[in-house]
């Protein structure tokens, strides 16, 4: 089964018009629209904002970085095919942030331990999630949902009482900039590059795509389906752990609801970024474009004086409009 | 025993076991007043669970039902109270919004989780606009309806039975219900048999909107006030209720009676945990654990049956 692609609908171009073809092929990239939309929102906001374009751009990079981290994990999970989605991301972020900050207790020497704990809690969540999916044959949505109840309780239980501040050095890193670019954006960019290499150039990514296009065919072709799905769910949870660690350090402590908005965000950036929600066809650049767009659209509505209610309504309407305009892939079963 | 009877057996047993445990821990709960307290908030949860079941029946998932119920609660506590005509028009528009959402999802072949997640923002925003800070009041008739004390059996139980029977007749016994379940089972064959899948999906969503509206109104009748976040957890509770009640994610295989029992089980689980003197921190977690436990038992049961059939 060939990879379903927008270009499949068009007849192949003849040789000889190579430059034109490459230009056209960029125009046909599904992730282009996310960047165009983000650019439009940026221009519209920068026109009225006091901070100026540079400040706005850097803020957007900072906040987009957190969405990128969870979005990439969610993208790999969604790529696995219909029904695959991780709803435990918000709870995982909260748990990782809480446990890590508690372990560090403000001591800069403990930062590596804190990071290790955040990643390990993500790892544990991923193992539990896939264990439920595989051993109990629970649909991924229900498995990750029930797991997230347990994770959330664990986070509430460990978080009770004080709000622990992150070590100063870590807080400085999370809010700081290197050569003018926010550090968290650099981290997210590195993760995105790694994810792109895995998805587009590595065997593992090809296998994820193959499973998403047809799990049975992939199994018959010798793809170790279970191992690949296991690794995908675990990576998603580990990335959520990393995002929770950075977000808690960035915002001066872990809050119980700190992951809440990232449930919608992680799914929205995948879809707006041009990946197929039906799986089997994903791209990494779109995650960045969509994450920037999701932040900029809110700041645009803010700068035009929209209240909280109007802002929420328009955010919802815009997401639905984009998804409706992109249209769903016809699933032939 | 046929498959449908088996499907309903597990939820009934789970509810009975949980109820037995509650009575054992707290014998005083075994009274009119005790049952009323235990199941007090079960009615809105049961209605929201039926709404979710109708969406799951056509192979979709509604992640906006919690915010929709909150929105309805805000409208009921404000507009319906002060300006009934406008209030009911807004509620009707909400149901129409659900129908439009179903039509859009079908026409453009969109993923329901993304569209409903987007709609959850819309309902949440509207709720904040209508009722920026917690407050409002329940319409008088609604308050007296929800707190009526029928003889022998508490209102919550009577209402749950009525909801279960009504939904059962609608989904399992009417020709309309057969078409709706057919859309979940095999949309293409329903289309080929001459029914409009578009109309069926819009109808399923409109019905879900209707039950969601009833849920929000019942909630206001019980709590007498509303806020924009009053029912956010209903999204997860309703999905859990449908699954606990023996529903499946695909194929239109759902059980309305089971869904109501699933909702009652979840409502009871909260009371059970507080009787166990379990820290409130673990309440949500325990609901997750109960869900996993029931699914594990269901797997064992179906495996056991499969083996017997094979042998």
């Amino acid at each position: 089964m060939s990879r379903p692609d927008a270009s499949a609908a068009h007849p192949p171009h003849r040789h000889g018009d190579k430059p034109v073809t490459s230009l056209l092929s960029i125009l046909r990239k599904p992730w282009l629209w996310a960047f165009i939309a983000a650019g439009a929102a940026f221009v519209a906001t920068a026109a009225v904002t006091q901070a100026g374009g540079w400040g706005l751009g850097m803020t957007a990079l900072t906040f987009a970085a957190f969405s990128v981290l969870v979005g990439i994990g969610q993208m790999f999970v969604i790529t696995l095919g219909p029904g695959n989605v991780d709803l435990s991301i918000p709870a995982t972020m909260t748990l990782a942030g809480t446990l890590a900050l508690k372990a560090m207790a403000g001591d800069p020497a403990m930062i590596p331990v804190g990071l290790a704990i955040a990643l390990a809690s993500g790892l544990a969540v991923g193992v539990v999630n896939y264990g439920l999916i595989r051993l109990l044959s629970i649909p991924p949505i229900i498995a990750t949902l029930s797991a997230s109840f347990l994770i959330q309780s664990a986070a509430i239980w460990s978080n009770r009482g004080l709000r622990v501040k992150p070590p100063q050095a870590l807080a400085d890193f999370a809010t700081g900039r290197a050569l003018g670019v926010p550090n968290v954006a650099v981290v997210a960019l590195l993760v995105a590059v790694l994810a792109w290499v895995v998805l587009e150039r590595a065997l593992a990514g090809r296998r994820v795509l193959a499973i998403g296009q047809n799990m049975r065919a992939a199994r018959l072709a010798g793809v170790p389906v279970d191992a690949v799905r296991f690794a995908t769910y675990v990576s998603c949870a580990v990335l959520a752990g990393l995002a929770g660690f950075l977000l808690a350090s960035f915002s001066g402590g872990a809050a119980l609801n700190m992951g809440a908005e990232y449930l919608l965000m992680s799914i929205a950036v995948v879809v707006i970024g041009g990946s197929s929600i039906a799986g089997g066809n994903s791209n990494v650049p779109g995650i960045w474009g969509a994450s920037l767009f999701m932040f900029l659209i809110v700041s645009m509505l803010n700068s035009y004086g929209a209240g909280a209610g109007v802002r929420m309504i328009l955010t919802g309407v815009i997401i639905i409009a984009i998804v409706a305009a992109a249209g769903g892939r016809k699933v032939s079963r | 025993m046929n498959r449908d009877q088996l499907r309903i057996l597990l939820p009934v047993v789970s509810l009975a076991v949980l109820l037995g445990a509650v009575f054992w821990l707290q014998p005083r709960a075994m009274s009119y007043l005790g049952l009323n307290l235990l199941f007090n908030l079960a009615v809105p949860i049961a209605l929201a669970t039926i709404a979710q079941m109708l969406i799951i029946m056509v192979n979709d998932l509604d992640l906006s039902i919690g915010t929709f119920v909150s929105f309805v609660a805000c409208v009921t506590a404000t507009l319906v109270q002060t300006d009934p005509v406008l209030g009911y028009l807004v509620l009707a528009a909400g149901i129409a919004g659900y129908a439009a959402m179903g039509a859009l999802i079908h026409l453009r072949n969109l993923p329901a989780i993304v569209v409903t997640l987007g709609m959850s923002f819309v309902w949440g925003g509207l709720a904040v606009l209508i009722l920026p800070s917690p407050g409002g009041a329940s319409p008088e008739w609604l308050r007296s309806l929800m707190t009526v004390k029928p003889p022998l059996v508490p209102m919550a139980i009577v209402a749950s039975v009525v909801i279960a029977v009504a939904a059962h007749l609608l989904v399992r016994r009417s020709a309309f219900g057969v078409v709706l379940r057919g859309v979940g089972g095999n949309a293409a064959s329903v289309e080929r048999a001459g029914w409009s899948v578009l109309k069926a999906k819009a109808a399923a969503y409109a019905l879900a909107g209707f039950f969601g509206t009833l849920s929000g109104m019942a909630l206001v009748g019980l709590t007498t006030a509303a806020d924009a976040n009053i029912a956010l957890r209903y999204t997860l509770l309703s999905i859990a209720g449908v699954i606990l009640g023996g529903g499946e994610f695909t194929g239109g295989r759902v059980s309305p009676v089971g869904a109501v029992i699933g909702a009652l089980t979840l409502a009871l689980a909260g009371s059970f945990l507080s009787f166990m003197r379990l820290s409130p921190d673990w309440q949500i977690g325990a609901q997750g654990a109960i869900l996993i436990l029931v699914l594990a038992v269901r797997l064992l049961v179906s495996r056991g049956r499969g083996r017997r059939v094979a042998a």
Side-chain angles (χ1 to χ4, degrees):
Chain A
M1 181 172 166
S2 73
R3 192 173 160 191
D5 197 317
S7 60
H10 301 272
H13 287 267
R14 282 186 306 276
H15 290 290
D17 50 3
K18 204 92 190 243
V20 182
T21 318
S22 61
L23 187 67
L24 282 178
S25 72
I26 283 187
L27 278 177
R28 263 192 243 112
K29 292 287 182 199
W31 45 262
L32 184 71
W33 302 104
F35 280 98
I36 291 176
F42 178 81
V43 171
T45 316
V48 292
T49 185
Q50 303 285 325
W54 179 257
L56 177 69
M58 290 305 115
T59 318
L61 281 179
T62 306
F63 283 94
F66 301 115
S67 314
V68 167
L69 288 176
V70 291
I72 286 175
Q74 188 73 278
M75 180 199 78
F76 275 106
V77 170
I78 288 177
T79 310
L80 286 174
N84 284 291
V85 67
D86 186 350
L87 299 185
S88 68
I89 285 179
T92 310
M93 290 173 74
T94 310
L95 181 69
T98 308
L99 291 182
L101 259 59
K102 221 177 153 184
M104 291 185 289
D107 180 3
M110 292 288 280
I111 292 176
V113 179
L115 179 62
I117 287 179
L119 298 182
S121 44
L123 185 81
V125 170
V127 171
V128 169
N129 276 343
Y130 195 67
L132 291 175
I133 295 169
R134 187 70 187 85
L135 299 179
L136 294 184
S137 333
I138 304 180
I141 294 179
I142 284 293
T144 53
L145 188 66
S146 349
S148 85
F149 286 168
L150 288 166
I151 302 160
Q152 207 180 333
S153 271
I156 295 174
W157 175 71
S158 61
N159 188 57
R160 77 167 58 206
L162 299 163
R163 187 179 161 101
V164 187
K165 276 198 158 46
Q168 195 54 44
L170 183 60
D172 289 345
F173 171 79
T175 50
R177 291 172 184 189
L179 303 172
V181 181
N183 289 329
V184 283
V186 175
V187 173
L189 194 62
L190 291 178
V191 170
V193 169
L194 182 68
W196 184 84
V197 172
V198 169
L199 184 71
E200 306 282 346
R201 293 285 178 270
L203 182 61
R206 297 285 109 183
R207 284 174 162 172
V208 172
L209 287 166
I211 293 173
Q213 283 161 19
N214 191 331
M215 187 148 94
R216 195 154 168 265
R219 200 188 295 273
L220 291 175
V223 173
V225 171
D226 277 326
V228 173
R229 292 182 76 201
F230 174 75
T232 308
Y233 276 92
V234 168
S235 331
C236 177
V238 168
L239 280 173
L242 176 64
F245 177 77
L246 288 174
L247 184 60
S249 312
F250 175 80
S251 48
L256 281 179
N257 59 351
M258 65 182 229
E261 66 174 299
Y262 289 94
L263 178 59
L264 172 83
M265 194 65 89
S266 66
I267 301 174
V269 296
V270 174
V271 179
I272 295 175
S275 298
S276 162
I277 191 83
N281 186 9
S282 294
N283 74 85
V284 176
I287 304 282
W288 259 107
S291 299
L292 288 168
F293 171 70
M294 288 297 285
F295 174 79
L296 286 166
I297 197 76
V298 172
S299 39
M300 181 183 91
L301 296 170
N302 249 338
S303 59
Y304 283 89
V310 176
R311 218 159 55 217
M312 282 174 78
I313 296 171
L314 286 175
T315 310
V317 168
I318 289 167
I319 292 173
I320 296 174
I322 289 179
V323 177
R329 186 180 102 191
K330 291 281 171 211
V331 185
S332 50
R333 267 189 290 183
Chain B
M1 209 178 347
N2 68 27
R3 253 172 57 179
D4 283 341
Q5 283 167 333
L6 192 78
R7 192 188 299 286
I8 200 74
L9 188 66
L10 191 58
V12 171
V13 170
S14 331
L15 181 63
V17 167
L18 202 55
L19 200 58
V22 168
F23 287 162
W24 182 66
L25 283 167
Q26 184 54 274
R28 269 176 295 177
M30 221 182 319
S31 63
Y32 186 96
L33 193 68
L35 282 174
N36 207 14
L37 280 174
L38 281 177
F39 290 111
N40 194 15
L41 284 174
V43 176
I45 298 179
L47 287 164
T49 306
I50 294 290
Q52 183 70 260
M53 185 202 73
L54 290 161
I55 305 281
I56 290 181
M57 187 172 67
V58 291
N59 281 359
D60 286 342
L61 193 66
D62 185 1
L63 294 183
S64 68
I65 190 74
T67 48
F68 180 70
V69 172
S70 307
F71 159 76
V72 170
C74 289
V75 174
T76 309
T78 54
L79 289 178
V80 171
Q81 166 81 353
T82 54
D83 188 352
V85 177
L86 180 65
Y88 290 118
L89 275 178
V90 171
L91 292 181
I95 296 174
Y98 252 82
M101 182 162 83
L104 179 73
I105 287 172
H106 177 70
L107 279 178
R108 300 287 298 152
N109 193 22
L110 302 179
I113 29 175
V114 182
V115 176
T116 54
L117 264 178
M119 280 311 284
S120 75
F121 272 57
V122 175
W123 301 126
L126 287 170
V128 169
L129 284 185
I130 291 169
L131 193 63
S133 55
S138 163
E140 203 47 54
W141 66 268
L142 195 56
R143 174 81 191 140
S144 38
L145 176 70
M146 291 310 293
T147 52
V148 70
K149 289 200 165 32
L152 298 176
V153 188
M155 173 61 183
I157 310 271
V158 175
S160 300
V161 171
V162 171
I163 296 165
V165 169
H168 180 81
L169 292 178
L170 182 73
V171 170
R172 312 276 318 187
R173 286 281 173 268
S174 74
F176 177 60
V178 171
V179 174
L180 291 191
R181 281 186 287 137
V183 170
N186 190 337
S189 65
V190 169
E191 187 92 63
R192 260 175 231 136
W195 279 286
S196 158
V197 174
L198 173 67
K199 279 185 196 157
K201 268 215 161 169
Y205 273 79
L207 267 177
F210 174 70
F211 276 97
T213 305
L214 292 183
S215 168
M217 294 179 76
L219 186 59
V220 173
L222 288 169
T223 59
T224 70
D227 74 89
N229 301 323
I230 189 166
L232 294 190
R233 61 198 189 94
Y234 279 23
T235 301
L236 305 185
L237 277 179
S238 64
I239 299 173
V242 174
I243 301 302
L244 275 181
E248 281 172 37
F249 263 115
T250 51
R253 284 192 285 272
V254 294
S255 156
V257 177
V260 171
I261 294 177
L264 291 180
T265 310
L266 285 171
L268 193 59
S271 318
F272 172 68
L273 298 170
S274 55
F275 284 155
M276 289 276 288
R277 298 214 180 77
L278 195 70
S279 141
D281 299 351
W282 288 100
Q283 292 238 355
I284 312 173
Q287 280 177 345
I290 290 176
L291 196 56
I292 293 170
L293 193 70
V294 169
L295 288 168
V297 172
R298 190 197 287 183
L299 181 76
L300 287 178
V301 170
S302 65
R303 280 217 181 133
R305 257 174 79 80
R307 211 166 291 145
R308 227 174 305 140
V309 170

